[in-house]
Amino acid sequence: MNDLEFVENRFEGVLPSSIGNLSTKLTILLLGSNKISGTIRVAMQNLINLIALGMDDTLLTGMIPTSFEKFQKMQVLSLWGNKLSGKIPSSIGNLTQLANLILAQNDLEGSIPSSIGACQSLQQLDVAENYLSGVIPQQVFQIFSLSLLPNLSHNSFNGKLPVEVGSLKNINSMDVSKNNFSGEIPTTIGNCLSLVYLGLQGNSFNGTIPSSMASVKGLEYLDVSRNNLSRLIPKGLEKLLKYLNISFNNIEGEVPTGGVFKNVNAISIIGNNKLCGGIPQLQLTTCPVITKSTKSFTSRVTITIICVVVCILLVSSFLALYWMKRSKKKPSSIFSKMDLLPTVSYKMLHQATNGFSLDNLIGSGSFGSVYKGVLDQEERLVAIKVLNLQNKDASKSFIAECKILRNIRHQNLIKILTCCSSINYNGDDFKALVFEFMMNGSLEMWLHPMTDSDNQSKNLSVLQRLIIAIDVAFALNYLHNHCEQKIIHCDLKPSNILLDTNMIAHVSDFGLSRLLTTSNDSSQKCTSTIGLKGSIGYAAPDIFS
């Protein structure tokens, strides 16, 4: 017997140690889509002739054994959809014949080991939806055999996307979305001539969209939304793409009218307030007509400004060097995460909401009201929660929400951008929190639309409801099990679940949340941020025990 396949059965319980006594001639072992729990048995190292091992979509816990390095003939290793934790072992680099490595949807942490560069037969690498971090080792981009989807999405990778990405000439898809990548998108990505799908959204990339992408003749799907990209849309992209999302950047200039830009359903450009032109359905402003004389004048002004700026910079540099020599070095200050957030004033929030106009009011509750606004310095849509300080618990709610949101980060939790504690124009205390704006409102609006609501003609499908429930479960799992200080939300209800442009759920409103201490004393197990309060029917009864 060379193959053993028990996929999609009802097996449950832990793997027996005797699994290592199976025939050493066994080449394929598939146990996926069962309810097998416990850890991966070290005894499996005896199955040295395994070519394919699939234990995906089960309930396995613990770490990936380092003894897997003995699977010298392994070509497929699929462990996705489990609860595996710890780091990806560096011994994975010993599997030199490995073609498919699929570790997505686990609780893995740490970085991708650089030893993976030894897997020169690797065609598919999928580590999405884990807690991996650090920079991507350059060795990953030296695996020239990669052709299927390298999926690094929904992690916490940071740093720049290496220029070596251009070496992956055979890849047809790449997804690095929902991470912390920064810097410019490397122009070498234009060398990935087989690329069809490219997902870069939800990072902190800056600079421009490389014009070299127009040379990737097979590119059909490009998503660079929710970054800090600027300048113009590169020429030539419209002839290639079938879908383009550049929303929520700082891109400016004229929107083409040909190719993908003919179909309003195939593009998303919102959140770029300096765009103009395009097809009428986009309802953008008309671009100004630039004559030759205007161009000449603009060129002269631009050159003059550049010269002045260079002179100022040179003088400033000399002055800075002079004062540095005369001054003693002072120790740098240590800032908390909240200190690093951009500061806003009452005036800025007042302007962003047109004087807290009722036209911008999108919700209200016992602790305050929420307004839609546009911050001048970023030109991005935000949600501004203004606390009702006449409620005695509102100040405590403000402090609680700041304390919690500054220390947590997850793709299914609302992201706080900044806060404001100031005085309004009447001399009264003013406190507000500024969040990402969720384009599709709350789950409450979709489940129970008002008679005059724009959503009354829209319905959530069964699949959408299931995905939203899974998103909320991911958020709660993070709050309960993966925070440095565990958190109980206390008021989880449809109106506190917000939906973004892609209908991804984000849990919000942490004003009533409770922080779990590490004390073993059950009487001191929880500390409430503002007392035992919450919406009737939604507060868990066990938090009152």
Side-chain angles (χ1 to χ4, degrees), residues 179-337:
N179 278 285
N180 297 322
F181 288 113
S182 58
E184 296 187 357
I185 301 172
T187 58
T188 53
I189 207 162
N191 297 331
C192 302
L193 300 180
S194 300
L195 202 58
V196 176
Y197 174 104
L198 181 58
L200 304 175
Q201 68 270 25
N203 285 284
S204 298
F205 289 116
N206 55 37
T208 63
I209 300 174
S211 58
S212 60
M213 284 188 182
S215 55
V216 184
K217 300 303 181 183
L219 190 62
E220 295 181 356
Y221 181 105
L222 176 61
D223 192 340
V224 294
S225 61
R226 298 187 180 279
N227 282 286
N228 299 314
L229 299 172
S230 57
R231 304 292 294 275
L232 307 176
I233 300 172
K235 294 182 179 180
L237 280 181
E238 68 273 14
K239 300 177 182 178
L240 305 175
L241 299 172
K242 294 182 179 178
Y243 177 83
L244 174 64
N245 189 344
I246 60 172
S247 59
F248 296 102
N249 281 284
N250 298 308
I251 297 173
E252 58 188 63
E254 185 174 5
V255 176
T257 56
V260 69
F261 293 97
K262 290 181 180 178
N263 184 359
V264 70
N265 296 318
I267 59 173
S268 179
I269 63 171
I270 61 173
N272 297 283
N273 297 328
K274 296 182 180 179
L275 289 174
C276 61
I279 58 177
Q281 292 91 324
L282 295 176
Q283 297 182 349
L284 297 176
T285 58
T286 304
C287 295
V289 178
I290 301 177
T291 62
K292 290 184 178 179
S293 59
T294 303
K295 288 183 178 179
S296 177
F297 175 76
T298 303
S299 299
R300 291 197 299 270
V301 171
T302 302
I303 293 172
T304 302
I305 292 174
I306 291 174
C307 292
V308 171
V309 170
V310 170
C311 291
I312 292 174
L313 289 175
L314 288 174
V315 173
S316 300
S317 299
F318 284 123
L319 289 175
L321 289 172
Y322 174 76
W323 285 109
M324 285 173 63
K325 290 181 180 179
R326 296 193 57 178
S327 304
K328 294 181 179 179
K329 292 183 178 180
K330 297 181 180 180
S332 59
S333 301
I334 299 175
F335 297 92
S336 66
K337 292 181 181 178

Side-chain angles (χ1 to χ4, degrees), residues 120-136:
Q120 285 298 310
S121 298
L122 197 64
Q123 298 179 22
Q124 180 180 15
L125 174 63
D126 191 345
V127 294
E129 297 184 43
N130 279 286
Y131 297 96
L132 299 172
S133 58
V135 298
I136 306 298

Side-chain angles (χ1 to χ4, degrees), residues 256-491:
T257 56
V260 69
F261 293 97
K262 290 181 180 178
N263 184 359
V264 70
N265 296 318
I267 59 173
S268 179
I269 63 171
I270 61 173
N272 297 283
N273 297 328
K274 296 182 180 179
L275 289 174
C276 61
I279 58 177
Q281 292 91 324
L282 295 176
Q283 297 182 349
L284 297 176
T285 58
T286 304
C287 295
V289 178
I290 301 177
T291 62
K292 290 184 178 179
S293 59
T294 303
K295 288 183 178 179
S296 177
F297 175 76
T298 303
S299 299
R300 291 197 299 270
V301 171
T302 302
I303 293 172
T304 302
I305 292 174
I306 291 174
C307 292
V308 171
V309 170
V310 170
C311 291
I312 292 174
L313 289 175
L314 288 174
V315 173
S316 300
S317 299
F318 284 123
L319 289 175
L321 289 172
Y322 174 76
W323 285 109
M324 285 173 63
K325 290 181 180 179
R326 296 193 57 178
S327 304
K328 294 181 179 179
K329 292 183 178 180
K330 297 181 180 180
S332 59
S333 301
I334 299 175
F335 297 92
S336 66
K337 292 181 181 178
M338 186 59 86
D339 293 329
L340 295 176
L341 292 173
T343 56
V344 294
S345 64
Y346 172 79
K347 178 181 178 181
M348 294 168 64
L349 297 184
H350 190 271
Q351 293 174 345
T353 58
N354 194 22
F356 301 105
S357 167
L358 290 178
D359 293 336
N360 289 322
L361 182 66
I362 57 177
S364 61
S366 59
F367 289 154
S369 302
V370 182
Y371 297 86
K372 179 174 71 173
V374 179
L375 287 180
D376 291 338
Q377 69 270 34
E378 296 182 1
E379 296 184 349
R380 61 187 298 186
L381 284 173
V382 294
I384 302 169
K385 180 179 179 181
V386 179
L387 278 296
N388 177 15
L389 298 182
Q390 293 181 354
N391 186 323
K392 63 179 182 180
D393 288 329
S395 293
K396 295 179 181 179
S397 172
F398 174 80
I399 296 171
E401 204 151 4
C402 287
K403 183 178 181 181
I404 289 173
L405 290 174
R406 70 178 182 179
N407 290 318
I408 59 177
R409 183 188 180 278
H410 191 273
Q411 61 267 23
N412 297 121
L413 295 179
I414 191 71
K415 181 181 178 182
I416 186 172
L417 302 178
T418 186
C419 63
C420 176
S421 180
S422 183
I423 303 296
N424 64 19
Y425 292 151
N426 295 325
D428 301 322
D429 287 338
F430 175 85
K431 295 184 186 298
L433 297 165
V434 182
F435 300 95
E436 288 182 309
F437 183 75
M438 298 288 111
M439 296 296 296
N440 279 312
S442 70
L443 178 60
E444 175 80 17
M445 293 167 53
W446 285 80
L447 295 178
H448 309 290
M450 302 294 288
T451 54
D452 59 347
S453 172
D454 293 337
N455 289 333
Q456 62 178 341
S457 61
K458 300 178 181 179
N459 292 309
L460 291 174
S461 66
V462 174
L463 180 59
Q464 284 179 309
R465 292 168 187 254
L466 179 60
I467 291 173
I468 290 171
I470 292 173
D471 286 343
V472 175
F474 277 142
L476 293 181
N477 178 54
Y478 171 77
L479 293 173
H480 294 175
N481 301 311
H482 299 288
C483 288
E484 183 176 349
Q485 190 172 20
K486 299 177 181 178
I487 299 167
I488 298 177
H489 188 280
C490 294
D491 199 20

